Amino acid sequence: MNTVDIQDQLETLTISPINVKLKRLPHLADYLPALQTRTNPLQHNTFYHHSHQDGFFISHSDVILRQIVFDFSGNFPSSTPHLAYHNAGPRKEILFDPKQVRAAIVTCGGLCPGLNTVIRELVVGLWELYGVREIFGIKAGYRGFYSGEPMRLDPKLVHNWHKRGGTVLETSRGGFDLQKIVDAIEKRGYNQVYIIGGDGTLRGAVKIFNEIHRRKLNVAVTGIPKTVDNDMGMIDRSFGFQTAVEMAQQAISAAHVEAESAPNSIGLVKLMGRNSGHITLDATLSSCDVDCCLIPENDFYLKGKGGLFEFIGSRLKENGHAVIVVAEGAGQDIIPRPDSQTQKTDDSGNPVFLDVGSWLNTELKKWRDRDHKGELFTIMYIDPTYMIRAVTANATNNLYCTLLAHAAIHGIMAGYTGFVTGPINGNYAYIPMDEVANAKSPVGTSDHKWAWVRSITAQPDFHRTEPNPKH
């Protein structure tokens, strides 16, 4: 069937209702059925009352489909249920009395652009939208629940926090002691807990939610997904990523200027991305100055036909310079590891990777000294890791952080718990926390975006066609 025939057919296609499976979202009423609902105070808020007739409030039947792209050339609709999630936003009725709310906010794991914006908007949203006055910041990550005094927060205190990098609440890895944390939550009377962190943090949050559920406490828990790497599955993106790409592009531009300014010169940039190369990929596409993009999802090798050395050698011969961008998780299987050196993990349980940037820097120098002895050669190595993650969020990221924070507040006030807020296909949804905590988002090396990278860089696919020399 040709394109015209398909278009003619689709113009008159009638689609019957599709089979949808709504993912169940935990709710406090699941185990505390006696809780009473009350009118959302937004119904009496003068800023919003004109919107009440225009679908301002979200109903429990408003859902977001996980899959939105379909192939009409086959059998449609499929008998397999399509997953759907609850739409995020304010409900007409809530489960919490704002005057009785004691909210706790904690940041865990590494730094990420936008942390202070999320904290600020949680405080401002709770205070201004719902009238909550008891809001506390937990300092130094999970251990702060049981090892220190909380910081009382209000809009005046957090007013300019979004203009600062890092997290004013401080953060740390590790310190997760489930019983001590939940004991502290119960002792201090917190009934709303907002946990900001990556997949490791969210796995801890799932355990906290389960323990609260087991104790049948009237405490709602929500997670706000944070990872510079954008390697968290289920959601379109995590906050911090867009700012990270913008800063990474600046590092690439600097490497390109350095490389262009010296004969036979290589600019080498190592970017964040332990398990996925999203920052490296997007920064490569946005800069258009990269000759080779190396990511964890695509193996590479150095020597022999089709290897990195051959490709970079041809670029130096053709252009006199080259720029290589490598994600920190790339090449881990070809970097020599002494027998005595076992795989280590950090306090969050994440594997500690070998330094691919320093290793590649050394190997490139050895290659030029061995195969091009006497030729002038320069390599500039840039590692902007801490510069990228410590900066203030850009405008797009700040807006995203605000929407995430407010959506989390609306969900928790409605009595939902054990959920994460995030965009699915551009629409904000409430997703069960355990699904997000265990989902990954690798770069798809068979999709159009990776093909676009290779079309720009003209780099090889690094699939070996001859016996494997060392590296």
Side-chain angles (χ1 to χ4, degrees):
M1 186 181 293
N2 60 39
T3 303
V4 174
D5 291 337
I6 293 174
Q7 291 188 101
D8 289 342
Q9 183 184 46
L10 292 182
E11 283 180 0
T12 58
L13 180 66
T14 300
I15 302 175
S16 59
I18 62 175
N19 187 10
V20 173
K21 178 182 179 181
L22 178 62
K23 296 294 290 188
R24 180 170 177 78
L25 199 62
H27 196 277
L28 289 175
D30 293 343
Y31 61 93
L32 297 172
L35 293 176
Q36 299 296 311
T37 59
R38 62 195 72 240
T39 300
N40 192 323
L42 290 180
Q43 295 199 45
H44 309 296
N45 189 312
T46 56
F47 292 113
Y48 297 105
H49 75 275
H50 292 298
S51 306
H52 290 173
Q53 304 304 317
D54 302 322
F56 176 77
F57 289 107
I58 306 297
S59 76
H60 296 293
S61 60
D62 290 330
V63 301
I64 296 168
L65 289 180
R66 178 69 182 157
Q67 181 183 355
I68 59 172
V69 178
F70 300 98
D71 181 3
F72 285 165
S73 64
N75 294 325
F76 185 85
S78 168
S79 59
T80 304
H82 295 282
L83 295 181
Y85 297 86
H86 286 282
N87 196 7
R91 270 58 178 171
K92 282 187 176 181
E93 293 185 331
I94 60 175
L95 210 62
F96 283 95
D97 178 356
K99 294 179 181 179
Q100 302 300 319
V101 169
R102 283 176 62 84
I105 303 169
V106 64
T107 55
C108 304
L111 295 184
C112 179
L115 279 170
N116 282 326
T117 304
V118 173
I119 299 167
R120 179 192 189 276
E121 292 307 316
L122 286 173
V123 173
V124 173
L126 284 166
W127 191 286
E128 301 293 348
L129 297 179
Y130 287 97
V132 175
R133 295 296 181 262
E134 298 287 305
I135 309 170
F136 301 89
I138 308 302
K139 303 198 71 175
Y142 276 136
R143 57 173 42 86
F145 276 105
Y146 57 83
S147 66
E149 291 299 313
M151 176 190 295
R152 185 176 286 272
L153 304 175
D154 60 58
K156 185 176 182 180
L157 178 66
V158 304
H159 180 67
N160 288 314
W161 283 17
H162 63 298
K163 300 177 183 178
R164 301 169 61 176
T167 167
V168 179
L169 292 182
E170 301 174 354
T171 186
S172 68
R173 299 188 185 276
F176 185 84
D177 187 314
L178 179 60
Q179 298 304 318
K180 287 184 178 180
I181 291 171
V182 179
D183 286 348
I185 290 172
E186 190 172 4
K187 178 181 178 181
R188 293 189 180 276
Y190 301 136
N191 51 14
Q192 292 186 4
V193 180
Y194 298 85
I195 300 174
I196 309 166
D199 53 358
T201 298
L202 291 183
R203 285 191 290 272
V206 170
K207 294 178 181 178
I208 292 172
F209 160 70
N210 288 334
E211 178 63 16
I212 286 172
H213 190 173
R214 187 188 70 79
R215 298 188 190 186
K216 290 184 167 44
L217 303 178
N218 185 13
V219 180
V221 181
T222 185
I224 299 177
K226 171 229 72 174
T227 165
V228 171
D229 301 352
N230 199 38
D231 59 355
M232 197 173 293
M234 300 299 299
I235 60 175
D236 296 348
R237 67 185 184 282
S238 54
F239 78 81
F241 174 67
Q242 292 168 311
T243 303
V245 170
E246 183 177 312
M247 296 303 297
Q249 186 179 339
Q250 293 181 24
I252 293 172
S253 296
H256 183 245
V257 170
E258 290 281 357
E260 275 194 321
S261 301
N264 289 324
S265 180
I266 294 176
L268 174 62
V269 181
K270 184 182 79 170
L271 297 176
M272 300 177 75
R274 287 192 274 191
N275 300 305
S276 68
H278 288 290
I279 295 178
T280 306
L281 184 149
D282 279 34
T284 294
L285 290 176
S286 59
S287 74
C288 299
D289 289 330
V290 177
D291 294 283
C292 191
C293 173
L294 304 174
I295 60 175
E297 295 87 346
N298 194 67
D299 293 338
F300 70 95
Y301 59 97
L302 302 182
K303 303 174 184 177
K305 185 174 178 58
L308 181 65
F309 289 163
E310 181 185 71
F311 175 68
I312 294 301
S314 67
R315 281 302 171 96
L316 290 177
K317 185 176 181 180
E318 180 182 353
N319 300 324
H321 66 273
V323 174
I324 304 171
V325 181
V326 58
E328 62 181 316
Q332 293 298 308
D333 58 333
I334 61 174
I335 305 175
R337 184 187 296 271
D339 294 338
S340 59
Q341 184 179 355
T342 58
Q343 180 73 60
K344 298 179 180 179
T345 57
D346 60 23
D347 290 337
S348 295
N350 300 311
V352 176
F353 286 168
L354 298 169
D355 190 343
V356 65
S358 296
W359 171 76
L360 200 52
N361 184 22
T362 299
E363 292 300 313
L364 286 165
K365 289 177 180 178
K366 289 179 181 179
W367 161 61
R368 294 301 294 187
D369 288 342
R370 181 181 63 249
D371 295 354
H372 302 272
K373 194 172 182 62
E375 290 185 13
L376 190 62
F377 173 71
T378 308
I379 184 167
M380 278 73 66
Y381 174 45
I382 299 175
D383 180 356
T385 298
Y386 291 102
M387 182 182 77
I388 287 175
R389 71 180 205 163
V391 299
T392 305
N394 64 16
T396 302
N397 210 104
N398 266 334
L399 174 59
Y400 181 40
C401 290
T402 298
L403 295 174
L404 283 176
H406 286 205
I409 293 170
H410 294 315
I412 217 168
M413 291 298 296
Y416 291 121
T417 182
F419 71 93
V420 165
T421 299
I424 295 178
N425 300 317
N427 297 289
Y428 288 79
Y430 295 142
I431 312 163
M433 194 184 297
D434 57 348
E435 289 193 23
V436 180
N438 295 300
K440 298 297 181 183
S441 177
V443 170
T445 54
S446 60
D447 67 12
H448 296 166
K449 201 170 186 180
W450 180 245
W452 185 13
V453 168
R454 291 196 57 215
S455 72
I456 290 175
T457 64
Q459 69 188 67
D461 58 17
F462 296 115
H463 293 163
R464 289 188 184 276
T465 58
E466 60 180 30
N468 181 10
K470 190 174 181 180
H471 304 329

